[in-house]
Amino acid sequence: MPVKVDRDKCSGCKDCIASCPFEAIELQDGKASINEYCQACMACLSVCPEGAIFETESEEPKPQKAEGYSGVWIFAEQRSGKVSSVAYELLGIGRRLADDLKTELSALLFGAEETDARELIRWGADKVYHAKDNILQNFNDEPYAQLLTKLINEHRPEIVLAGATPIGRSFLPRVAARIRTGLTADCTSLSIDKETGNLLQIRPAFGGNIMATILCPNNRPQMATVRPRVMKRGQYDTNRAGEIIDIKADGITSRTKVIESVKEVSDITVNLQEADIIVSGGRGLGDPKGFKILAELADLFGGAVGSSRAAVDEGWIPYRHQVGQTGKTVCPKIYFACGISGAVQHLVGMQSSDIIIAINRNPEAPIFNMASFGIVGDLYEIVPLLVKKIKESKGT
Ligand code: FAD
């Protein structure tokens, strides 16, 4: 430990125990003792009235704790018995990682309703750990975190992935903290380092200006969340064989109870992340009414309306429509960017779209570097023309 206690000086007053954010100090034989959870934050040094705690030369990180850990796990999120699409995307990347590591891919399915666990096998899982219990009916951090922690401690997987959804973002950090391992949020790419077998966790950093590769070499499992629509699904195989293992949620408790879930009702939205066609608007709209024209175009395709952060910040459209680094990541077949300049923070949220059509009156706008098709002009002329032409071709 880089922090030590002089037992002769220690009076056993426990002030240091209360000051430690990592529960790394215990009382042994009436004297403070530092345990292996010490993160060398030094918070205890100034608290000790006897000056009994002191810093020593920092030590090398402990040797890898990787032995005995194997297998790739993905958390298969579901609501009301329907598995969300991010679970199938995680199976796609999970399968590749498991094949590279020559290990098994397992999916974790928690809930109370009937769910077709076999579907997870058809999408690539070798095993599904299926926990069906009333306590898991509605998502709730406490029982979900307890159960996942318990399973990880029992089975010791080397990698655990979940969607960077409100659910994954909420309970996975709790699990990582309980088992004292690292967690990389919002990864956009994952692969295995061929030399060390470590998981290379890649994500944008510093406002999207660099791509950081993050490692968790000393602790297991390696945990990461992945945004929906970033990874591609794998191969669907109706003949794929796999095992479904029923898990009991015995001993799992919750101090809180979900009384009711109320779905948000929205006027102009189709689920952005599920939409095949998205028509997005930015500050170039100049006015919230501009979104009505975009909604008309989106409606013709059964698509959704998106926006840049600038339009959200202006108060023209709710945040749930925002695409980009601090909004949603989307991957539609066609993405229209209307009056959007193409800032890197917007691009990271839509650059995987199959076709990008940019409408901007500035021919130098960076969005044109990314666009499959670029239209230089005023969106208030071009979008109505597109609507008119599409209506004509549909005969409406
Ligand atoms: P602008 O950059 O102002 O561009 C407006 C464009 O409209 C211009 O190119 C202009 O030529 C064009 N235009 C104007 N009038 C017309 C017209 N009549 N017809 C056609 N074109 C017209 N941004 C996001 O979008 N999503 C994010 O998640 C996000 N996260 C961020 C996170 C951080 C930490 C930071 C620092 C920034 C983030 N941003 C995000 C903001 C981002 O940097 C840009 O400021 C923002 O994307 C700009 O939005 P915009 O393209 O709509 O506006």
Side-chain angles (χ1 to χ4, degrees):
M1 287 311 129
V3 176
K4 290 216 158 55
V5 179
D6 182 336
R7 290 179 66 84
D8 292 337
K9 283 189 185 170
C10 176
S11 65
C13 70
K14 300 189 199 162
D15 285 0
C16 55
I17 296 180
S19 76
C20 178
F22 300 102
E23 296 175 23
I25 312 179
E26 324 164 303
L27 215 57
Q28 279 182 4
D29 304 328
K31 305 277 180 183
S33 169
I34 315 280
N35 66 29
E36 74 268 30
Y37 298 134
C38 175
Q39 302 293 314
C41 71
M42 308 296 163
C44 51
L45 263 66
S46 57
V47 170
C48 178
E50 320 299 339
I53 305 180
F54 60 98
E55 189 182 351
T56 61
E57 298 240 321
S58 66
E59 293 169 8
E60 286 297 306
K62 278 199 274 171
Q64 289 229 7
K65 291 206 262 167
E67 305 89 49
Y69 286 82
S70 74
V72 177
W73 280 15
I74 68 107
F75 178 72
E77 186 174 322
Q78 62 80 31
R79 287 189 195 210
S80 309
K82 187 175 180 290
V83 175
S84 60
S85 57
V86 70
Y88 301 117
E89 293 156 20
L90 290 172
L91 285 171
I93 180 66
R95 185 68 267 161
R96 266 186 281 141
L97 298 175
D99 289 346
D100 285 353
L101 288 166
K102 300 190 178 30
T103 187
E104 279 184 340
L105 172 64
S106 304
L108 297 138
L109 184 59
F110 299 174
E113 285 93 352
E114 271 313 316
T115 310
D116 186 5
R118 290 248 151 250
E119 195 65 358
L120 297 165
I121 293 171
R122 292 180 201 116
W123 278 107
D126 299 309
K127 280 184 186 161
V128 179
Y129 291 98
H130 190 186
K132 211 167 137 232
D133 194 288
N134 284 343
I135 200 163
L136 306 167
Q137 165 116 40
N138 293 302
F139 170 73
N140 197 340
D141 281 303
E142 210 181 347
Y144 272 59
Q146 276 177 27
L147 185 56
L148 184 53
T149 306
K150 183 169 171 257
L151 291 172
I152 289 174
N153 285 333
E154 278 170 19
H155 298 274
R156 298 159 72 90
E158 59 186 309
I159 294 174
V160 177
L161 308 176
T165 60
I167 290 180
R169 282 178 172 162
S170 183
F171 93 107
L172 222 64
R174 290 167 188 255
V175 176
R178 281 173 188 217
I179 52 181
R180 297 181 189 268
T181 189
L183 168 68
T184 307
D186 286 10
C187 292
T188 51
S189 171
L190 294 167
S191 58
I192 301 296
D193 182 343
K194 290 208 165 49
E195 276 178 27
T196 62
N198 282 324
L199 180 66
L200 303 172
Q201 304 163 58
I202 299 170
R203 54 152 298 153
F206 295 107
N209 289 316
I210 62 158
M211 295 303 280
T213 302
I214 296 167
L215 295 174
C216 178
N218 297 327
N219 291 68
R220 290 292 182 268
Q222 303 156 94
M223 296 180 70
T225 60
V226 176
R227 281 185 167 206
R229 295 297 217 159
V230 168
M231 302 292 174
K232 301 269 182 219
R233 291 183 183 208
Q235 289 288 322
Y236 187 73
D237 181 355
T238 44
N239 298 319
R240 171 181 276 283
E243 191 185 354
I244 297 173
I245 302 156
D246 289 324
I247 298 292
K248 298 239 175 311
D250 294 348
I252 302 301
T253 54
S254 180
R255 284 167 296 179
T256 56
K257 193 167 141 196
V258 178
I259 294 168
E260 193 188 3
S261 300
V262 181
K263 281 201 175 151
E264 186 182 38
V265 182
S266 161
D267 40 1
I268 50 171
T269 186
V270 174
N271 185 347
L272 207 55
Q273 286 173 303
E274 307 289 331
D276 279 340
I277 296 183
I278 296 175
V279 184
S280 277
R283 203 190 327 254
L285 288 173
D287 191 284
K289 290 193 196 109
F291 278 106
K292 289 227 165 82
I293 305 172
L294 303 192
E296 202 183 345
L297 181 59
D299 281 350
L300 286 172
F301 298 116
V305 174
S307 82
S308 72
R309 175 159 151 179
V312 172
D313 288 348
E314 293 286 352
W316 298 342
I317 189 160
Y319 166 72
R320 62 178 176 270
H321 295 264
Q322 183 179 314
V323 172
Q325 188 188 320
T326 42
K328 294 199 166 88
T329 303
V330 296
C331 184
K333 292 191 175 132
I334 305 179
Y335 186 86
F336 286 90
C338 309
I340 293 176
S341 58
V344 64
Q345 295 89 353
H346 187 79
L347 299 181
V348 292
M350 43 63 82
Q351 62 197 0
S352 315
S353 309
D354 291 349
I355 295 173
I356 297 169
I357 302 175
I359 305 170
N360 197 302
R361 64 180 180 197
N362 174 9
E364 304 296 328
I367 191 78
F368 288 127
N369 299 330
M370 175 73 62
S372 329
F373 300 98
I375 305 172
V376 179
D378 188 331
L379 69 94
Y380 284 101
E381 285 172 26
I382 290 156
V383 176
L385 269 176
L386 279 172
V387 168
K388 186 166 167 265
K389 281 281 170 203
I390 293 164
K391 279 186 175 167
E392 276 171 18
S393 69
K394 284 186 159 191
T396 53

